[in-house]
Amino acid sequence: MAKKRPAAKTAKPQLENGEIPVVGAREPCPCGSGRRYKACHGAAASHASTEHVQRPFEGLPAECDWVALRELVPAATIPLTLKGGLPEGVPSVTLVTVLPLAWPALRREDGSVLLGLQNDSTTGDLARDMADTLERALVAEPGTPVPARRVPAEGPRLQDLLDLDGVFEPVVHTGFEFWIPEAESAQSASPEIAASLERANAAAIPTVKLTGVDAAYWCETPDKNHLRWVMPHPEEKLLDALARLHAAGTSSLGEGTKLVGSFRAHGLVVPVWDLPTGVSAEDVEKPAAEFAERLAAALSADAPLTAEERRARGGLTNRQITLS
């Protein structure tokens, strides 16, 4: 005779998604399905933790500058304003491009917070990663760095923590001396930080933010100078407009300059111009402002591209590099 099968256990009542706690990947899923967590609700949690957010800084003031400081500018600082004001014991919060030893954040001895921008993402959403780091930095012990960690899939984003009406004005520096408090000197830093400061300063490319247009950054390299301009316009519309100007011979910023292509970074397009070595940031202020007027007119055009403009667009598209 066949053995009797044991009576099936009564299934656990199913829980709502919002009630399901995180458990080990091989443990039974707390929802009561009978499957392992990694094959049940853990799969959705894992997907959520790695899903890429194309425009993580969308909705923040000066989104284009956030992108520039994340990808293009070596050394810069920006005071941040938090919703509801600063917590007690935190005199200031400052966004910085990078911190020594690639720390995500640092709580200084005086309680102030430095929040690094050029760090890796663990969730696929930089705004969520940085919000988690900021929250930990605000309660960290003064005088300690905030270590990296795998950020939970659920949690606030920068857009939830920052005052979206606050002023966002980057200050570009020639080096990374802002790592050291004003009351101290580089010589007083630990050997580890002093060495990191020396390496960072040696690698920094001279960079200047233009004052006449938004999110345009001049930089100097050994062979030639460049202008990198982060633009907020939808990619397809912007490429059409640039193609119209390129085909008309009006895409340059003056004699010896050339629109050579673009970067794609965090959902935005960054046109790049080559400039002669002797052309300074001040030299391109007026040409950039004049180009902005030509671009505005090209963006408003709705006629189909001509054959020449389509060729120009194809050339620009072929010279586009994705940074993120």
Side-chain angles (χ1 to χ4, degrees), residues 48-176:
S49 69
T50 58
E51 188 172 3
H52 179 69
V53 175
Q54 185 180 28
R55 289 178 61 180
F57 307 121
E58 185 176 14
L60 292 173
E63 178 189 6
C64 293
D65 284 307
W66 280 88
V67 172
L69 269 57
R70 163 73 185 183
E71 299 294 342
L72 307 174
V73 180
T77 58
I78 310 95
L80 296 180
T81 306
L82 306 187
K83 287 182 179 178
L86 294 167
E88 184 177 356
V90 181
S92 65
V93 175
T94 303
L95 182 72
V96 303
T97 46
V98 68
L99 284 167
L101 309 178
W103 292 330
L106 171 66
R107 182 90 186 271
R108 281 179 161 166
E109 291 285 357
D110 66 354
S112 61
V113 168
L114 301 183
L115 177 66
L117 179 55
Q118 296 178 9
N119 291 298
D120 293 335
S121 170
T122 63
T123 67
D125 181 358
L126 277 167
R128 177 164 286 118
D129 291 341
M130 293 183 65
D132 177 81
T133 300
L134 175 56
E135 286 190 319
R136 290 188 291 132
L138 293 172
V139 297
E141 190 71 23
T144 60
V146 176
R149 75 168 186 176
R150 185 164 188 83
V151 177
E154 299 296 330
R157 307 177 72 235
L158 284 174
Q159 290 83 343
D160 303 316
L161 302 183
L162 300 183
D163 181 357
L164 302 185
D165 295 322
V167 177
F168 188 86
E169 295 182 350
V171 177
V172 178
H173 302 274
T174 57
F176 295 86

Side-chain angles (χ1 to χ4, degrees), residues 161-288:
L161 302 183
L162 300 183
D163 181 357
L164 302 185
D165 295 322
V167 177
F168 188 86
E169 295 182 350
V171 177
V172 178
H173 302 274
T174 57
F176 295 86
E177 281 71 21
F178 60 82
W179 289 351
I180 312 298
E182 291 183 4
E184 301 178 17
S185 65
Q187 287 73 27
S188 65
S190 69
E192 206 173 23
I193 292 179
S196 183
L197 176 63
E198 185 177 356
R199 288 193 301 270
N201 281 344
I205 296 173
T207 302
V208 177
K209 186 180 190 300
L210 299 195
T211 60
V213 294
D214 293 333
Y217 291 81
W218 170 95
C219 67
E220 180 183 22
T221 62
D223 296 330
K224 61 185 69 175
N225 299 342
H226 305 278
L227 184 73
R228 301 162 175 174
W229 192 342
V230 186
M231 296 188 172
H233 316 292
E235 180 173 345
E236 297 303 315
K237 192 171 185 63
L238 176 57
L239 289 175
D240 281 352
L242 292 173
R244 295 181 195 277
L245 297 176
H246 205 59
T250 58
S251 64
S252 76
L253 299 175
E255 185 177 355
T257 70
K258 182 180 180 181
L259 175 63
V260 292
S262 62
F263 298 127
R264 184 192 288 114
H266 304 291
L268 299 181
V269 175
V270 187
V272 178
W273 285 261
D274 279 353
L275 313 172
T277 301
V279 173
S280 67
E282 185 177 358
D283 293 332
V284 293
E285 286 280 7
K286 183 178 178 182

